[in-house]
Amino acid sequence: KGPILLIDFGTNGEIILKHDGGYLATATAAGPAFEGGRLSCGASARAGVVSSFEYNDARWDYQLCAGESDTVKGISGAAYVDFLALGLESGLLNPFGRFDVNHPDVSEHTIEDYSERIVRFSDTLWINEPDVAEIMQAKAAIGAGVQVLLELAGIDASDLETVFVAGGFGYHLNPAHAIAIGLLPAVPVERVDTIGNAALGGASLLLQADYSKDIEALCQNCQIVELNMVPSFSDHYTDSLLLEEIE
């Protein structure tokens, strides 16, 4: 009944805001980072891939996605979100996504003449600063899209009754960590509901019953927002590049 937000995470992030009986909808180019693309050890969530990180007693621990695997095959997008939130909390990362060179978990990795700062979890798993930058740019695209819709609706994040998270990325996502870095709007964590593959669910409903009238009514009541036509989008994007909650 109240304001409700739905975000479908993927290379294109689709965002819908329901408010006052109407809908605002947009899409933003988040890129492949949430699915592990363009990341040093990134991988889509599947057996053998890191699903989550924890940081306890100055030690990094991780869990793997369900299923049998002989090797660890990479790090999922949701686990990168864990790393950013926990790294920020522990002081390993600053709000600009840079590593603290004096942090005991940070080391220098050199290949030929190129040197980079990394956090290494094993011989085959590590995260570097360019990885962090990729995730931050992706989360800024989503965060800015959300901010634009809230702005057009004249409401604040705190007014949202529910935030639905759709897409495979959401299966392993820690909502509290996503909120902490500004990937999701700042709402109480119990208001976040992960719903999996919503696109497939909707297609299944269409096969089971005739929802054409409902869809037609929804489309007529939905305003499409082109973000490149909204002057404030670039400012929201820049603000969202920082690792912090977006109010």
Side-chain angles (χ1 to χ4, degrees):
K1 295 182 180 180
I4 297 173
L5 184 73
L6 184 148
I7 307 172
D8 192 344
F9 285 93
T11 302
N12 290 312
E14 286 83 23
I15 309 168
I16 300 177
L17 174 65
K18 176 185 177 182
H19 75 107
D20 290 338
Y23 298 84
L24 293 170
T26 194
T28 181
F34 294 133
E35 295 159 340
R38 292 206 300 256
L39 303 174
S40 299
C41 298
S44 58
R46 63 186 188 278
V49 172
V50 175
S51 62
S52 64
F53 280 112
E54 294 181 355
Y55 191 67
N56 299 308
D57 299 324
R59 187 184 72 183
W60 289 97
D61 297 312
Y62 57 81
Q63 299 291 326
L64 300 180
C65 298
E68 295 184 2
S69 176
D70 295 332
T71 59
V72 179
K73 299 178 180 178
I75 302 172
S76 71
Y80 279 97
V81 172
D82 292 336
F83 175 79
L84 265 61
L86 295 170
L88 183 66
E89 180 182 334
S90 66
L92 186 154
L93 282 170
N94 68 22
F96 299 96
R98 306 295 291 180
F99 291 167
D100 179 357
V101 295
N102 297 315
H103 195 283
D105 293 339
V106 176
S107 60
E108 292 282 340
H109 178 64
T110 302
I111 300 178
E112 296 180 351
D113 295 330
Y114 177 73
S115 181
E116 63 180 3
R117 296 169 185 166
I118 68 170
V119 175
R120 184 179 292 279
F121 312 103
S122 72
D123 291 341
T124 58
L125 288 180
W126 68 87
I127 292 177
N128 59 25
E129 286 180 322
D131 295 334
V132 172
E134 285 283 344
I135 294 290
M136 290 176 67
Q137 290 169 28
K139 80 98 178 173
I142 296 291
V146 169
Q147 287 299 108
V148 166
L149 296 193
L150 292 174
E151 182 180 77
L152 292 175
I155 62 175
D156 297 323
S158 59
D159 297 320
L160 295 170
E161 289 192 358
T162 306
V163 176
F164 288 112
V165 177
F169 171 74
Y171 280 116
H172 302 288
L173 184 67
N174 183 318
H177 289 168
I179 292 169
I181 67 170
L183 176 59
L184 294 179
V187 299
V189 70
E190 59 268 18
R191 297 188 193 177
V192 179
D193 189 358
T194 55
I195 58 175
N197 195 334
L200 180 59
S204 299
L205 285 175
L206 287 177
L207 294 174
Q208 296 175 44
D210 183 5
Y211 281 87
S212 57
K213 291 184 179 180
D214 300 87
I215 292 176
E216 183 178 353
L218 189 152
C219 290
Q220 290 178 350
N221 203 22
C222 185
Q223 177 186 347
I224 304 300
V225 178
E226 298 288 348
L227 293 175
N228 62 327
M229 302 299 292
V230 180
S232 63
F233 173 71
S234 58
D235 289 335
H236 286 309
Y237 179 82
T238 302
D239 292 341
S240 297
L241 281 171
L242 292 176
L243 291 175
E244 60 183 4
E245 289 188 8
I246 304 296
E247 302 290 344

